Amino acid sequence: MFILQRQDVEISSVQHPKREQQIPILKYQDQTFRLISVFDVAKAEEAKTFWKDLTDNQGKFCVLLQEENRHSVWGRVKLEQLIGDSNDESSPVSSVQAALLILQAVYFDVEELLGGRQAKLFHQEMTTALQSRQIPQVDSGKAVDQLLKVDPLGNFKAPSWAEQHLIAVLQEVYRIGKEFFGNANFADELDDILLDMPDQDRQDFLAWLKQSTLGKQWKG
């Protein structure tokens, strides 16, 4: 658990084994870290809070890198695991559908309770966050807009997200939702949000959620 400056670390990248993209990696004292999230320098306190939550509450080994124009949070990973991407198996479609239902529910609550201007800001922040977390098939504001409009339970091709992508999406929805509402009450409404899912799919997702690092945030 460290707060580091740019001169303290070495930043490079490795080729993703299955996709045409580079994975940013940070090296510090013979340890390797993978990028989790990027914050504008004006959100220094938010970055620190996010980092402390991961380390203190979720037991993650992370570093906070403070640079002149941005702050970023990186999580420790074994380089061979990163290259092999052993966690790259796609999540069940039903889990991705549940994540999209949650994303949409929080967005629509922002729009209904806080107004169109705040909904637009939510959209912008979510786009930036998901891009910084390198979520597949979310490479633009237009892609996020599509995710907000589709019927997750309808006839559409769900994104191929591995478990770490699913966790990253739900972490960002929680973080940004809490930022906009000033509390996390929305995270207690999972039963209502997932009401239209088939019973077994909903139960499987909630069981996974409970045993994941997200269990303390999202409570079904």
Side-chain angles (χ1 to χ4, degrees):
M1 179 170 149
F2 303 101
I3 297 179
L4 305 173
Q5 306 300 316
R6 183 63 181 85
Q7 63 268 22
D8 298 328
V9 304
E10 175 189 344
I11 295 179
S12 58
S13 62
V14 296
Q15 176 65 44
H16 192 289
K18 296 183 180 179
R19 292 192 291 273
E20 291 297 321
Q21 71 179 58
Q22 295 289 315
I23 303 173
I25 59 171
L26 177 151
K27 291 185 177 179
Y28 175 70
Q29 293 185 346
D30 297 324
Q31 298 185 82
T32 304
F33 297 81
R34 183 175 185 172
L35 182 64
I36 295 178
S37 192
V38 178
F39 297 82
D40 186 89
V41 70
K43 296 186 176 181
E45 284 304 313
E46 184 179 323
K48 193 170 184 178
T49 299
F50 178 66
W51 165 70
K52 284 180 68 64
D53 178 64
L54 290 178
T55 55
D56 296 348
N57 300 327
Q58 299 187 40
K60 301 291 186 180
F61 193 96
C62 301
V63 298
L64 173 62
L65 179 64
Q66 297 180 333
E67 298 180 81
E68 182 178 352
N69 297 318
R70 70 173 194 170
H71 289 178
S72 52
V73 178
W74 303 70
R76 185 170 63 179
V77 66
K78 292 182 179 179
L79 186 57
E80 58 268 24
Q81 176 186 343
L82 193 61
I83 295 173
D85 218 14
S86 58
N87 293 323
D88 202 38
E89 293 296 324
S90 294
S91 300
V93 170
S94 57
S95 293
V96 178
Q97 291 173 325
L100 293 180
L101 286 170
I102 293 169
L103 168 63
Q104 291 180 355
V106 176
Y107 172 75
F108 293 142
D109 278 354
V110 170
E111 186 174 46
E112 180 179 353
L113 300 174
L114 304 179
R117 183 180 179 184
Q118 291 298 306
K120 185 176 181 179
L121 290 174
F122 179 93
H123 181 288
Q124 291 173 349
E125 287 209 24
M126 186 58 62
T127 300
T128 300
L130 298 186
Q131 287 176 331
S132 73
R133 300 290 291 267
Q134 298 186 320
I135 307 300
Q137 297 171 255
V138 187
D139 55 359
S140 67
K142 185 176 181 180
V144 173
D145 194 48
Q146 183 179 10
L147 295 182
L148 290 171
K149 291 180 178 179
V150 298
D151 176 4
L153 303 179
N155 185 24
F156 92 107
K157 183 173 174 59
S160 297
W161 290 346
E163 183 177 31
Q164 68 265 28
H165 301 133
L166 202 61
I167 289 173
V169 169
L170 292 172
Q171 283 177 336
E172 295 299 343
V173 174
Y174 181 87
R175 179 180 67 83
I176 296 173
K178 188 174 180 181
E179 174 186 317
F180 274 75
F181 291 119
N183 59 61
N185 292 343
F186 60 88
D188 296 327
E189 300 174 1
L190 272 190
D191 287 339
D192 290 337
I193 293 172
L194 305 179
L195 191 61
D196 292 334
M197 291 186 71
D199 287 345
Q200 190 60 55
D201 287 349
R202 182 173 64 253
Q203 291 171 17
D204 289 346
F205 174 75
L206 291 174
W208 168 81
L209 192 66
K210 185 177 180 179
Q211 60 82 36
S212 76
T213 58
L214 301 163
K216 293 181 180 179
Q217 298 178 344
W218 299 95
K219 303 178 179 68

